[in-house]
Amino acid sequence: MKNTRHLILILLALSCFVHWGIAQTATQQSFRFDEFKIDKERIGSIKLGMTVSEAEEFLSGFRKEVSEAILFGFGGGSPAYLYYWEDEIVLGLIPALDTDTLLYLVAAHPQIKTTNGLNPNSSVSELLKKYPHLTVMKDLMSQWEFYQDEKNGWDFIFMTDKETEIGEYQDLYHPAAPKRLNTKSDWITIRKVD
């Protein structure tokens, strides 16, 4: 009798784990990364110039955290609203200072793709295939490096330092050809195209 009770408890526990696993898989599969394509001035349906609340209409099911824009290299004290699916950051919204109007978008998840097939975790060698004349620049405030697709308003950000920098710079004010081709970008900032 005691063994039967143990067996039933074990079977119940196993069925709960199996059910939980199926629910987790279903949740993960229900997120459609292809609906969040990185395009000019937008990620999916979220566009620069929208308010935070307008953008959040497309982010149901996400977990939101409030952080600071300085984490992404922006001064001025603006907040950064970060959106997570499960435990992974997918994107961020950065409004203009003292407003709720989106000034920048941050694409962070490697499964979000640009319209030309790159992602926020693309390597320099992958970028070179799309941008053969690629040069990198130093961000004078953060000291990180970036490549700027000016046509689309995408900045591929590399959180490098003096030991890991991609380019060989003659000075801080001129771009450099990349020398470290395996370095991967940390995120893509989407900004207004002038």
Side-chain angles (χ1 to χ4, degrees), residues 128 131-137 146-148 166 169 174-178:
L128 277 166
Y131 309 107
H133 305 292
L134 176 145
T135 56
V136 287
M137 290 282 295
F146 64 95
Y147 167 69
Q148 197 167 69
I166 299 162
Y169 298 93
H174 293 91

Side-chain angles (χ1 to χ4, degrees), residues 84-124:
Y84 291 78
W85 190 264
E86 305 291 326
D87 291 325
E88 296 182 298
I89 185 168
V90 176
L91 58 91
L93 307 177
I94 300 176
L97 185 62
D98 298 327
T99 76
D100 65 347
T101 302
L102 299 180
L103 186 59
Y104 299 104
L105 305 174
V106 174
H109 199 284
Q111 288 190 50
I112 296 179
K113 305 278 190 215
T114 62
T115 51
N116 66 0
L118 296 168
N119 69 67
N121 200 222
S122 290
S123 67
V124 174

Side-chain angles (χ1 to χ4, degrees), residues 30-99:
S30 67
F31 182 62
R32 304 270 323 248
F33 285 101
D34 60 337
E35 292 178 5
F36 287 82
K37 179 89 59 193
I38 301 165
D39 205 339
K40 190 184 288 189
E41 300 185 2
R42 67 189 314 141
I43 300 175
S45 299
I46 300 168
K47 297 185 281 193
L48 294 175
M50 281 182 163
T51 64
V52 172
S53 57
E54 287 171 335
E56 286 182 340
E57 291 177 19
F58 304 102
L59 296 169
S60 68
F62 283 78
R63 178 171 56 87
K64 176 181 176 180
E65 285 186 12
V66 180
S67 190
E68 297 178 19
I70 191 79
L71 293 176
F72 297 97
F74 299 106
S78 288
Y81 301 102
L82 309 179
Y83 298 85
Y84 291 78
W85 190 264
E86 305 291 326
D87 291 325
E88 296 182 298
I89 185 168
V90 176
L91 58 91
L93 307 177
I94 300 176
L97 185 62
D98 298 327
T99 76

